[in-house]
Amino acid sequence: MRVSVDTHRCCGSGQCVLAVPDVFDQREEDGIVRLLEQRPPAELHAEVRTAATVCPSGAIEVHEA
Amino acid sequence: MTTAHPIAPPNFPAPRGACPFAPPPAYEQARREQPVSRVTLWDGSQCWLVTRHADVRSVLRDQRFSADARHPGFPFVTDGRRALANESTSFIRLDDPEHARLRRMLTADFMIKKTEALRPRIQRIVDDFLDRMVAHGAPADLVSEFALPIPSLVICLLLGVDYGDHGYFQERSRVLLHNHSTADEVRQAREELTEYLGRLAEAKRREPDDGIISRLVARGELTDEEVAATCLLLLVAGHETTANMTSLSTLALLRDPAQLARLRAEPALIKPAVEEMLRFLSIVHSGLPRVATEDVQVGGETIRAGEGVLCMISVANRDEEVFEGADRLDIGRESRRHVAFGFGVHQCLGQPLARVELQIAVETLFRRLPKLRLAIPYEDIRFRTEMAIYGVHELPVTW
Ligand code: HEM
Ligand code: SF4
């Protein structure tokens, strides 16, 4: 699995950080998403998918493979 | 074939049914049978009602639907709401890129790390108000002594507003959020609040503190009026919502002893429990208004440019396709897909704060008052059907 985020789309809701704090963070200066892990380990995959589903702005893309 | 519709679509809002926690049965039926349907508003105008979870999400995330109330065709659910929108320019009623520019001045203040760091402070505030309520003695009104003062004090601290003035802005927020307020009443309340916050912005320019108002002023990118409009949004959105969620959650748990026992036995359930109550109670009950700027297909219907839409998040949150046994409160279920905070770029800015406040308030209340119960018959409780934010007017309790 490979994850990418679009910081222009992100509205800083923090949903992804609540779901998987090991993969997503927010920038200190403006609360916009910061990706910590482009290739999260298998045990986090389910939660990363949840993060992409609950992200309100469609800023998280999950490439399976 | 052209069919004239002799009968006007049903009036909005439809009445609630027997269960005060559930959305109007007519809308539950609409979600199953005609998920995108027409309704008639108070002024005789018509708009679309979107009720399914998937459709609500797609409308709220679609840039072709505008949240800018200055577009003709924008649906207003009351006269007061129209008066408010015509004058107010806060970012909840603006589209990107203007919306994003203003919202991004505040996203750092409400990010997860910041609100999590507030936990000890919020815990102290919750304990203090509970101490005071207990000291006054039972019975007490949980709304005015506990549920309302907590978020009110917290948002004052964050903004840098004197909590001593809470009577002033709570009264006026009430007018803004009352469905029966006239346009003039709304205009006056808004004017007074804007003036109050404008004066405050001026004062913070001379004597800054570490609150949000001072920081907005210090950026030098906004006029005092824009600062006032933004802070008005935070002040109003920041206390009535959390307050009503706190009291309505308390009532829902008192009415469901099995769920309450489960929460008491397993305090770690507080986080999913709060998500589930946000879903189940969906206090923003009159629909999120948007207007189409192009023709858009939604759930098999064509919504034309210039037509209004109400996204019924309360009805979407009971969608059986997403939440099995949706009419049951189940504090252990996976309910994170709820849309109680909205969806799309306008999704609630204050949600991390609201979550922390709710988790602490509900957990503390039931832990410290194990015998908490209603002090009046359940049948006598007055629900806020006529307010923009649903809940109870008062909640007399004893312990
Ligand atoms: C349980 C409590 C709360 C609920 C259920 C709630 C619900 C909502 C909903 C549904 C929206 C979306 C409106 C729309 O799209 O038209 C919203 C937006 C907003 N909320 Fe909340 N809210 C809560 C607490 C708070 C708090 C504590 C604050 C601030 C401190 C806050 C500030 C805002 C702001 C500023 C917006 C506008 C965001 C934007 O347009 O980008 N809310 N809220
Ligand atoms: S969930 Fe989406 S919008 Fe919210 S912070 Fe994460 S990437 Fe941004």
Side-chain angles (χ1 to χ4, degrees), chain A residues 5 9-17 26 31-33 51 54-60:
Chain A
V5 295
R9 285 191 150 193
C10 171
C11 64
S13 72
Q15 302 271 40
C16 55
V17 184
Q26 286 168 289
I32 296 304
V33 64
V54 297
C55 170
S57 61
I60 300 173

Side-chain angles (χ1 to χ4, degrees), chain A residues 7-8 10-15 17-19 25-32 47 50 53-56 58, chain B residues 57 61 103-104 107-108 110-114 116 334 336-337 343-349 351-352 355:
Chain A
T7 53
H8 294 288
C10 171
C11 64
S13 72
Q15 302 271 40
V17 184
L18 274 187
D25 196 4
Q26 286 168 289
R27 304 196 295 226
E28 268 330 299
E29 65 276 18
D30 59 5
I32 296 304
E47 283 297 272
T50 300
T53 310
V54 297
C55 170
Chain B
R57 276 175 47 119
R61 208 160 84 180
R103 177 171 166 130
R104 282 189 179 208
T107 32
F110 292 95
M111 63 196 258
I112 303 293
K113 252 182 283 175
K114 284 265 175 63
E116 286 297 323
E334 168 60 83
R336 279 178 296 175
R337 291 178 69 192
F343 203 66
V345 295
H346 288 279
Q347 191 181 58
C348 184
L349 172 73
Q351 55 182 307
R355 285 188 166 108

Side-chain angles (χ1 to χ4, degrees), chain B residues 166-183:
Chain B
H166 69 275
Y168 187 86
F169 59 77
Q170 279 172 4
E171 255 166 57
R172 283 155 186 82
S173 307
R174 206 184 143 71
V175 173
L176 296 185
L177 298 173
H178 201 304
N179 290 348
H180 299 166
S181 299
T182 65

Side-chain angles (χ1 to χ4, degrees), chain B residues 37-59:
Chain B
S37 60
R38 307 275 295 166
V39 289
T40 304
L41 299 176
W42 59 279
D43 61 352
S45 67
Q46 294 182 10
C47 76
W48 295 94
L49 201 72
V50 176
T51 52
R52 270 200 317 221
H53 187 268
D55 294 337
V56 163
R57 276 175 47 119
S58 86
V59 169

Side-chain angles (χ1 to χ4, degrees), chain B residues 78-146:
Chain B
T78 67
D79 197 13
R81 225 64 66 75
R82 177 165 60 188
L84 189 60
N86 279 346
E87 290 163 48
S88 146
T89 47
S90 71
F91 58 89
I92 195 166
R93 288 282 156 269
L94 291 171
D95 296 327
D96 284 350
E98 204 42 28
H99 160 266
R101 183 180 80 89
L102 293 163
R103 177 171 166 130
R104 282 189 179 208
M105 293 182 189
L106 292 162
T107 32
D109 289 290
F110 292 95
M111 63 196 258
I112 303 293
K113 252 182 283 175
K114 284 265 175 63
T115 44
E116 286 297 323
L118 289 172
R119 273 186 192 271
R121 239 170 128 188
I122 295 175
Q123 182 68 60
R124 259 198 313 279
I125 290 171
V126 167
D127 279 321
D128 280 353
F129 282 117
L130 197 56
D131 286 344
R132 267 188 249 180
M133 185 178 98
V134 169
H136 286 170
D141 174 21
L142 192 87
V143 174
S144 57
E145 296 210 41
F146 185 73

Side-chain angles (χ1 to χ4, degrees), chain A residues 15 18-19 46-56, chain B residues 51-58 60-61 271-272 274-280 282 312-324 326 330 332-344 347 351 355:
Chain A
Q15 302 271 40
L18 274 187
E47 283 297 272
V48 170
R49 282 183 209 111
T50 300
T53 310
V54 297
C55 170
Chain B
T51 52
R52 270 200 317 221
H53 187 268
D55 294 337
V56 163
R57 276 175 47 119
S58 86
L60 291 176
R61 208 160 84 180
K271 287 184 183 179
V274 162
E275 295 311 306
E276 171 66 350
M277 291 193 287
L278 284 161
R279 177 194 76 82
F280 186 73
S282 291
M312 299 298 290
I313 54 180
S314 55
V315 188
N317 277 339
R318 301 268 182 143
D319 193 334
E320 289 282 341
E321 292 199 8
V322 184
F323 307 103
E324 203 191 316
D330 173 0
R333 86 158 83 218
E334 168 60 83
S335 28
R336 279 178 296 175
R337 291 178 69 192
H338 71 71
V339 284
F341 288 120
F343 203 66
Q347 191 181 58
Q351 55 182 307
R355 285 188 166 108

Side-chain angles (χ1 to χ4, degrees), chain B residues 41 66-76 85 93 289-291 306-309:
Chain B
L41 299 176
S66 169
D68 189 334
R70 293 166 301 185
H71 278 292
F74 191 89
F76 298 107
R93 288 282 156 269
R290 297 291 190 269
V291 59
E307 289 180 340
V309 178

